Amino acid sequence: MTINNKYTIKKILVSMVWILLGAGTVVLLVAAIEKRNNEKCLRIEIAITGVQNNFFIDKKDVMAILEKTNKGRLVNKPLHGIDMALMEMQLQKNNWIKKAELFFDNNNVLVVKVTEREPIARIFTTSGLSFYLDSSLARLPLSDKFSARLPVFTNFPTDVIVLSKPDSVLLKNIRTLGQYIGSNPFWMAQIDQVDVSPDRNFDIIPKLGNQVIHFGDAENYNDKFNNLLCFYRQVLSKIGWSRYSSIDVQFKGQVVGVRRGADEIKMDSIRSIQIMKTMIAEAQRQTNDSTHIQLEQTDDDKNTNVSREIDNAPDGDMKTDKSNSNRVPVIPIHTPEKPVIENLAPLKNIDQQIHPTSSEKPNPVPSKIKVIKPPVVKEDIKARGKPKALMPQKIDY
């Protein structure tokens, strides 16, 4: 056998060995994959990161999304029947999930890693809508599970999703101030809210102090907060927190305070006087309404003559209304009032004859008619002594 034949046989044998090794490897891989696919999911481990104190999405919410995507439970389900890519896509569609990653480990455990979005500010628009803002300028809806304690910005000018360039700059400034305030415990406790002015600047409303802080835009925000803190320590802590009506920190290297003037005090006094006058008028009106009482009259009372009202009448002629503490005169029912005549005698040129009530004969000599008025007050009765009894006149009809 020649040398060439030996080399050819050796080459063929080597090729056959490599072919067998490749085929064996492929068979092993296919068998391993087949075995892997026939295995089942033992359990699920979910890890949520990216937040510190806010939990707008929990493990139950993540599990609900996974089971809804696979139309059933994942535990004890064959691995080849679980669509990993579809589950990741459905998780990332959630507003509160920033990133999702899924994989199986060597123990057939499904590992789910979720990065949650963390809001940095809560914004109220001019129309009254409210939403959260995260560090990536994404708008997050409000959650029924948790209300985050965040810096509050009000009077945002628009509700549209696609913002104009000025509104985009304003939203970035809100993110800058929101991150700074949220990371500083003092300003988080001192600032009640931040109002957006029509010129897209910021006015801070503090919790301690009765003034408005004109902050301007977010440029040099760190220096502005430092200047305001120095003003708090060196000025307001000594002269009082309500001495100034407004504080301006927009200017570089200085703080401008507007002192609360006498005009504001005068306006407050005038406003207080007006409120007091209104209260007095209302009280007087209610008092008048309570004293105007109208007594109901029957049909018989409407046909009778009403006697004269006697001022300062004795207690015997007055009755107290149970429904009201004021004393009201009672309307008596009697015949028309006649003057009391002393020493009655026949009168000339009078058609109606008046009969005396006593048994005594009338004096033939006519006397002058004297009208005796009833007693006015108790003190007059005591002074004059006991009055004579006067019998009512008898009138013939």
Side-chain angles (χ1 to χ4, degrees), residues 182-220:
S183 61
N184 193 305
F186 174 78
W187 294 118
M188 192 65 191
Q190 168 64 5
I191 296 177
D192 191 13
Q193 68 184 48
V194 181
D195 293 334
V196 179
S197 61
D199 55 354
R200 291 179 172 80
N201 288 328
F202 299 103
D203 294 331
I204 298 176
I205 308 299
K207 292 182 179 179
L208 181 61
N210 187 18
Q211 64 272 144
V212 178
I213 302 172
H214 301 294
F215 194 83
D217 55 14
E219 186 178 359
N220 299 324

Side-chain angles (χ1 to χ4, degrees), residues 224-243:
K224 293 179 181 178
F225 277 114
N226 290 334
N227 294 336
L228 182 59
L229 183 60
C230 294
F231 185 77
Y232 278 171
R233 290 176 176 176
Q234 299 178 8
V235 180
L236 293 187
S237 61
K238 298 179 181 179
I239 66 174
W241 293 89
S242 299
R243 185 68 174 271

Side-chain angles (χ1 to χ4, degrees), residues 274-290:
Q274 292 177 352
I275 293 173
M276 292 299 297
K277 289 183 178 180
T278 304
M279 294 174 62
I280 293 173
E282 182 66 19
Q284 185 66 29
R285 184 185 64 81
Q286 294 179 359
T287 303
N288 295 335
D289 292 343
S290 62

Side-chain angles (χ1 to χ4, degrees), residues 55-57 96 132 141-147:
F55 299 96
F56 293 95
I57 189 169
W96 289 102
Y132 291 113
L142 302 182
S143 176
D144 297 334
K145 297 182 179 181
F146 186 79
S147 181

Side-chain angles (χ1 to χ4, degrees), residues 47-305:
I48 301 176
T49 58
V51 294
Q52 296 180 356
N53 299 321
N54 305 325
F55 299 96
F56 293 95
I57 189 169
D58 52 19
K59 295 181 179 181
K60 292 182 179 180
D61 298 330
V62 176
M63 183 63 69
I65 295 174
L66 296 177
E67 292 180 352
K68 183 179 180 180
T69 304
N70 287 274
K71 299 179 181 180
R73 292 175 56 84
L74 296 175
V75 179
N76 296 327
K77 187 175 183 177
L79 300 183
H80 65 84
I82 299 176
D83 192 344
M84 307 284 288
L86 182 60
M87 288 191 298
E88 287 185 0
M89 184 177 62
Q90 293 297 326
L91 286 175
Q92 290 181 358
K93 286 183 178 180
N94 188 282
N95 293 323
W96 289 102
I97 296 178
K98 185 177 182 179
K99 184 180 178 181
E101 183 180 0
L102 288 80
F103 61 90
F104 281 101
D105 62 4
N106 295 328
N107 297 323
N108 297 332
V109 177
L110 178 59
V111 179
V112 182
K113 293 185 178 181
V114 174
T115 303
E116 182 183 359
R117 294 184 182 273
E118 184 175 9
I120 59 175
R122 182 170 181 177
I123 300 176
F124 289 85
T125 63
T126 53
S127 62
L129 297 180
S130 178
F131 59 89
Y132 291 113
L133 182 71
D134 73 341
S135 57
S136 62
L137 298 180
R139 296 188 181 188
L140 307 176
L142 302 182
S143 176
D144 297 334
K145 297 182 179 181
F146 186 79
S147 181
R149 184 175 179 270
L150 300 170
V152 177
F153 293 81
T154 60
N155 295 330
F156 190 74
T158 182
D159 298 332
V160 299
I161 303 300
V162 181
L163 301 178
S164 61
K165 185 176 181 180
D167 293 336
S168 299
V169 174
L170 176 61
L171 202 64
K172 292 179 181 179
N173 291 338
I174 291 177
R175 178 183 61 180
T176 301
L177 294 182
Q179 288 178 336
Y180 182 84
I181 296 173
S183 61
N184 193 305
F186 174 78
W187 294 118
M188 192 65 191
Q190 168 64 5
I191 296 177
D192 191 13
Q193 68 184 48
V194 181
D195 293 334
V196 179
S197 61
D199 55 354
R200 291 179 172 80
N201 288 328
F202 299 103
D203 294 331
I204 298 176
I205 308 299
K207 292 182 179 179
L208 181 61
N210 187 18
Q211 64 272 144
V212 178
I213 302 172
H214 301 294
F215 194 83
D217 55 14
E219 186 178 359
N220 299 324
Y221 66 92
N222 200 355
D223 295 337
K224 293 179 181 178
F225 277 114
N226 290 334
N227 294 336
L228 182 59
L229 183 60
C230 294
F231 185 77
Y232 278 171
R233 290 176 176 176
Q234 299 178 8
V235 180
L236 293 187
S237 61
K238 298 179 181 179
I239 66 174
W241 293 89
S242 299
R243 185 68 174 271
Y244 295 95
S245 60
S246 64
I247 300 174
D248 199 332
V249 296
Q250 300 182 62
F251 307 101
K252 185 177 180 180
Q254 59 181 337
V255 176
V256 179
V258 178
R259 182 174 296 181
R260 196 177 302 276
D263 294 338
E264 297 182 2
I265 299 175
K266 182 178 179 180
M267 291 300 297
D268 292 340
S269 301
I270 295 175
R271 191 178 298 108
S272 300
I273 293 173
Q274 292 177 352
I275 293 173
M276 292 299 297
K277 289 183 178 180
T278 304
M279 294 174 62
I280 293 173
E282 182 66 19
Q284 185 66 29
R285 184 185 64 81
Q286 294 179 359
T287 303
N288 295 335
D289 292 343
S290 62
T291 55
H292 291 171
I293 301 175
Q294 183 177 3
L295 298 177
E296 297 182 357
Q297 297 182 2
T298 61
D299 295 337
D300 296 338
D301 295 340
K302 296 178 181 178
N303 297 327
T304 59
N305 295 328

